[in-house]
Amino acid sequence: MSVPALRQPKFTNTQLKDVKKPIILQPDFVILTLRNKDKLVVSSDAYHGILTVEMEVKCVFCKVTMDLDFVHKENHKKSSKHLALVREHPFIETFSQNLIKQLNCDNFYCTICNVMVTAPFLKRHIMSEVHMQELQKAEARALNYTPS
Ligand SMILES: [Zn+2]
Ligand SMILES: [Zn+2]
């Protein structure tokens, strides 16, 4: 959806591991452990399928749009109806760490980038520089949780 005006150079995994600067984790992050025990840390909004568009908040699982209000948004994420819908949309196994969920036959949701992607663009999205960078960020955040 949003493309940064200036694209950053890609970091290799080696460079990521060399980063010594501590990453400050805000409380609104979610740790996800993959089947292969790899960990990814994504924002709570991304995990919950909450998209912020200008002055509105949209939940991709419940298909509702709310006014941009922090308390309202947090209450939505805690509601049992919402949580049930999040569980009903599991991550697609074949896309593993890309954390893709299918919303319907035409639309997918990328948890890594917190964006909706239409079916014809899904493969291209996963291969895109924007997605790769977001995935590396999620992996880098997770390094902070690994006891050394
Ligand atoms: Zn919802
Ligand atoms: Zn993505």
Side-chain angles (χ1 to χ4, degrees):
M1 234 173 222
S2 63
V3 179
L6 255 177
R7 292 207 166 173
Q8 310 251 315
K10 261 189 199 172
F11 291 105
T12 65
N13 283 333
T14 339
Q15 280 172 310
L16 272 179
K17 278 178 190 128
D18 286 343
V19 174
K20 289 285 192 292
K21 214 169 93 184
I23 298 158
I24 296 156
L25 287 154
Q26 291 162 18
D28 61 346
F29 277 98
V30 177
I31 313 166
L32 299 167
T33 307
L34 306 178
R35 224 167 258 264
N36 64 3
K37 302 282 194 299
D38 274 0
K39 283 184 169 59
L40 292 172
V41 175
V42 297
S43 78
S44 158
D45 279 5
Y47 174 75
H48 284 276
I50 305 289
L51 308 184
T52 305
V53 185
E54 289 170 11
M55 293 307 285
E56 281 184 339
V57 171
K58 187 181 168 180
C59 175
V60 301
F61 301 119
C62 304
K63 298 183 187 72
V64 292
T65 304
M66 304 161 263
D67 286 338
L68 183 55
D69 178 277
F70 182 79
V71 175
H72 197 117
K73 184 182 81 177
E74 293 306 305
N75 284 340
H76 179 83
K77 291 198 278 196
K78 283 183 221 148
S79 74
S80 52
K81 188 178 161 237
H82 168 79
L83 290 171
L85 278 165
V86 170
R87 276 193 298 271
E88 277 170 34
H89 293 85
F91 295 115
I92 304 172
E93 197 86 31
T94 47
F95 291 110
S96 62
Q97 80 277 13
N98 295 296
L99 304 184
I100 302 296
K101 290 186 169 199
Q102 184 156 19
L103 300 172
N104 52 50
C105 52
D106 298 320
N107 292 289
F108 292 83
Y109 172 67
C110 175
T111 310
I112 295 292
C113 304
N114 190 208
V115 292
M116 288 222 298
V117 187
T118 53
F121 292 99
L122 184 61
K123 289 241 163 67
R124 200 184 298 176
H125 173 79
I126 290 166
M127 301 300 289
S128 73
E129 206 173 315
V130 175
H131 177 82
M132 301 248 192
Q133 279 178 15
E134 289 302 319
L135 181 56
Q136 285 178 342
K137 276 190 221 163
E139 287 167 347
R141 284 186 210 113
L143 290 180
N144 212 45
Y145 285 106
T146 314
S148 51

